[in-house]
Amino acid sequence: MTDSSAPDGIDTADSPHYLRALTDMADQRAVVAGAAIYTDNGIKLVEKGARIDSRLYDRLVQHKLREPIDRHLSIENPVDVPALLSAAQTLTEQDALLSMLAEALGSAARLLAPLRSLPLPASMACKLTVMRDQRPQLFQHSLQMMTVAVFLGIKSGLSERDCGTLAAAALLHDLGVLHMDPAWDDPENKVVGVQRKHLVAHPISAMLMIRDTQAYPRSAEVAVLEHHERMDGSGYPRALAGADITPMGRILLLAEVVAAFYEKYDDMPAQRLSLVLRLNHRKFPSTLVAFILPLLQEEVARESALMPLGNDATRQIDLLAEAFSYWEQLKAALPDGVAAKAPTGSAFAFADARLLALQKALVEAGSHPQQQSELMAQLQGDAIGMAEVALVGREALWQLQTILNASHRRWPQLAERATPDDAAVADWCDWAVRRL
């Protein structure tokens, strides 16, 4: 089992964002201090029995509290196990992904059974109530991820007790997000600086909150810590790889991705997720992916809306072929030795590595432009097959766009073409601006 010790510099105190959400919630439902609330140097801020509301925010936020505030609160209509079961049942009936998983197991009851034995200390119930009332999308995401994780746990042969631990870890995995600025979730907001640091640290914060309750097995703590790791070592916060990620951590990292795709995309989520799992197969645990892919393929077969997509397939294949070919031409035109000597942190090294990685992923998926001519001939009249080729192309073109955007953002001086290798990247970027 991996070490879940907290790195230095992680502040586990109640953040201003969490205190704001909690006190705003208290304007809508009764929240009472079950015990006096003190600062860390012994000053009493709130009397036992006092009503909490947003008027207390300024006083609370100016001090570091002796203990997390939610240890001492009594809340009207809190999230409890019956409320979780009811919310999860409703979601399973309404959500396409969860309905698919329940059907695959034979019933929603089997999927939700581990929730019945879920430990829920008062502090966790408080956090989930704040999430439900103030961050409903985050609450729904936690329910969805929990359900996907339990499905994977059952399919993996975990015991009922371990599935309960897994359900708790998945439900609580994003507690750290409650302490972040809600603006991070705005698609128009660029996550940089302190926000980026908080985003990377949120699995650690959640793990520490769970540990603080002393109500959950260590395996739940570690799984929460690992839910953004990847099998190839490209995840965070510790860049673990392969066997260094625990079995429950692997389940959570895949469940996070599965739930996120169905939340993000209204059109063809099954098709998109299937492609991403196959194009990025080194990032995800293959034994768990094997439980998901057949269900996605069945869903794809029912998605008649896919049919018109195949009309774009030929154009997308041609664009990809042109992008890769033009880059090779630019590299070949460089003076001898320039490409090999490009510094590791240069724009040239970045673009070359990213384009080569994209081509490798497409080759491994059987979707590189050089492989497509024969495939296209075989797929004539197969609308679903043509649609899948088009979606592979759409995903690959999006990745080309990210290479373009990152090059412009990280190396704004490229337009000056100060060196031959900078000029090559600038020329390729100019092509991409015109053609993508």
Side-chain angles (χ1 to χ4, degrees), residues 12-15 18-19 37-46 59-70 72:
T12 59
D14 291 326
S15 74
Y18 179 63
L19 291 173
I37 298 173
Y38 292 88
T39 68
D40 64 347
N41 57 3
I43 299 173
K44 185 188 293 185
L45 290 181
V46 181
R59 189 192 311 173
L60 292 169
V61 81
Q62 290 175 19
H63 303 275
K64 183 174 182 178
L65 303 183
R66 177 183 293 174
E67 297 178 306
I69 190 171
D70 43 33
H72 307 294

Side-chain angles (χ1 to χ4, degrees), residues 149-185:
V150 169
F151 170 82
L152 291 171
I154 292 172
K155 296 293 286 184
S156 299
L158 292 187
S159 67
E160 184 173 338
R161 180 177 180 180
D162 283 344
C163 281
T165 297
L166 181 66
L171 179 67
L172 304 174
H173 78 284
D174 264 350
L175 290 182
V177 175
L178 282 177
H179 291 256
M180 294 168 53
D181 186 344
W184 82 272
D185 202 26

Side-chain angles (χ1 to χ4, degrees), residues 86-118:
S86 176
Q89 178 66 46
T90 299
L91 198 58
T92 302
E93 293 168 357
Q94 298 174 351
D95 183 86
L97 170 63
L98 304 193
S99 296
M100 178 175 69
L101 300 182
E103 181 181 349
L105 287 180
S107 70
R110 187 181 179 197
L111 193 58
L112 301 181
L115 273 69
R116 299 187 182 279
S117 57
L118 190 75

Side-chain angles (χ1 to χ4, degrees), residues 265-308:
Y265 297 109
D266 292 327
D267 60 320
M268 299 165 294
Q271 187 80 26
R272 294 175 187 272
L273 177 58
S274 174
L275 290 170
V276 165
L277 292 178
R278 285 180 287 134
L279 282 174
N280 300 278
H281 62 91
R282 286 190 173 86
K283 294 180 181 290
F284 307 110
S286 58
T287 54
L288 298 177
V289 169
F291 297 133
I292 296 292
L293 278 180
L295 303 182
L296 299 178
Q297 294 302 318
E298 291 177 15
E299 188 69 15
V300 166
R302 294 194 288 263
E303 288 180 345
S304 59
L306 280 171
M307 307 310 181

Side-chain angles (χ1 to χ4, degrees), residues 43-357:
I43 299 173
K44 185 188 293 185
L45 290 181
V46 181
E47 294 281 356
K48 178 180 178 180
R51 173 78 182 261
I52 306 295
D53 58 33
S54 60
R55 292 173 296 181
L56 278 175
Y57 172 76
D58 289 336
R59 189 192 311 173
L60 292 169
V61 81
Q62 290 175 19
H63 303 275
K64 183 174 182 178
L65 303 183
R66 177 183 293 174
E67 297 178 306
I69 190 171
D70 43 33
R71 285 188 184 179
H72 307 294
L73 302 180
S74 172
I75 304 175
E76 175 189 15
N77 187 28
V79 169
D80 55 14
V81 170
L84 284 172
L85 279 166
S86 176
Q89 178 66 46
T90 299
L91 198 58
T92 302
E93 293 168 357
Q94 298 174 351
D95 183 86
L97 170 63
L98 304 193
S99 296
M100 178 175 69
L101 300 182
E103 181 181 349
L105 287 180
S107 70
R110 187 181 179 197
L111 193 58
L112 301 181
L115 273 69
R116 299 187 182 279
S117 57
L118 190 75
L120 204 61
S123 61
M124 294 292 104
C126 179
K127 287 179 171 67
L128 289 172
T129 307
V130 172
M131 190 186 291
R132 180 189 66 186
D133 289 11
Q134 302 301 117
R135 304 286 296 278
Q137 288 184 324
L138 185 61
F139 183 68
Q140 180 165 307
H141 167 70
S142 298
L143 288 173
Q144 286 177 307
M145 180 171 159
M146 175 191 67
T147 311
V148 177
V150 169
F151 170 82
L152 291 171
I154 292 172
K155 296 293 286 184
S156 299
L158 292 187
S159 67
E160 184 173 338
R161 180 177 180 180
D162 283 344
C163 281
T165 297
L166 181 66
L171 179 67
L172 304 174
H173 78 284
D174 264 350
L175 290 182
V177 175
L178 282 177
H179 291 256
M180 294 168 53
D181 186 344
W184 82 272
D185 202 26
D186 182 351
E188 302 299 319
N189 179 58
K190 292 184 178 179
V191 180
V192 296
V194 173
Q195 280 191 345
R196 178 66 186 170
K197 178 181 177 182
H198 289 168
L199 180 62
V200 172
H202 84 267
I204 304 171
S205 301
M207 179 270 289
L208 292 173
M209 293 176 207
I210 293 169
R211 175 184 292 176
D212 187 59
T213 67
Q214 299 183 0
Y216 301 96
R218 180 176 167 79
S219 57
E221 297 174 16
V222 179
V224 167
L225 183 64
E226 295 172 343
H227 77 269
H228 277 298
E229 301 290 356
R230 293 291 180 264
M231 298 298 287
D232 64 352
S234 64
Y236 64 88
R238 295 185 293 166
L240 301 178
D244 290 335
I245 305 172
T246 62
M248 284 193 185
R250 296 179 203 180
I251 290 175
L252 258 59
L253 74 86
L254 180 59
E256 171 84 6
V257 172
V258 172
F261 260 78
Y262 272 81
E263 292 160 16
K264 183 176 181 180
Y265 297 109
D266 292 327
D267 60 320
M268 299 165 294
Q271 187 80 26
R272 294 175 187 272
L273 177 58
S274 174
L275 290 170
V276 165
L277 292 178
R278 285 180 287 134
L279 282 174
N280 300 278
H281 62 91
R282 286 190 173 86
K283 294 180 181 290
F284 307 110
S286 58
T287 54
L288 298 177
V289 169
F291 297 133
I292 296 292
L293 278 180
L295 303 182
L296 299 178
Q297 294 302 318
E298 291 177 15
E299 188 69 15
V300 166
R302 294 194 288 263
E303 288 180 345
S304 59
L306 280 171
M307 307 310 181
L309 278 179
N311 298 333
D312 289 335
T314 300
R315 180 187 66 84
Q316 291 168 340
I317 290 170
D318 290 344
L319 266 179
L320 286 169
E322 187 178 345
F324 298 141
S325 175
Y326 186 48
W327 179 247
E328 292 304 318
Q329 292 174 32
L330 291 168
K331 286 172 61 177
L334 288 173
D336 289 345
V338 169
K341 294 178 182 177
T344 302
S346 67
F348 182 90
F350 168 80
D352 193 42
R354 290 287 297 272
L355 287 166
L356 287 174

Side-chain angles (χ1 to χ4, degrees), residues 296-429:
L296 299 178
Q297 294 302 318
E298 291 177 15
E299 188 69 15
V300 166
R302 294 194 288 263
E303 288 180 345
S304 59
L306 280 171
M307 307 310 181
L309 278 179
N311 298 333
D312 289 335
T314 300
R315 180 187 66 84
Q316 291 168 340
I317 290 170
D318 290 344
L319 266 179
L320 286 169
E322 187 178 345
F324 298 141
S325 175
Y326 186 48
W327 179 247
E328 292 304 318
Q329 292 174 32
L330 291 168
K331 286 172 61 177
L334 288 173
D336 289 345
V338 169
K341 294 178 182 177
T344 302
S346 67
F348 182 90
F350 168 80
D352 193 42
R354 290 287 297 272
L355 287 166
L356 287 174
L358 176 56
Q359 291 196 69
K360 184 177 181 181
L362 290 170
V363 168
E364 290 174 348
S367 302
H368 192 279
Q370 295 175 353
Q371 301 167 305
Q372 294 286 29
S373 56
E374 181 179 349
L375 178 62
M376 293 289 284
Q378 295 174 354
L379 290 176
Q380 292 303 315
D382 181 352
I384 291 178
M386 290 292 287
E388 178 157 342
V389 172
L391 271 173
V392 170
R394 180 188 291 183
E395 171 69 18
L397 291 175
W398 178 83
Q399 292 193 36
L400 289 182
Q401 186 70 50
T402 65
I403 296 170
L404 166 66
N405 293 342
S407 297
H408 280 163
R409 183 176 66 252
R410 295 172 60 180
W411 295 278
Q413 76 280 8
L414 280 175
E416 300 172 6
R417 292 173 164 78
T419 63
D421 53 320
D422 272 3
V425 179
D427 289 346
W428 186 86
C429 287

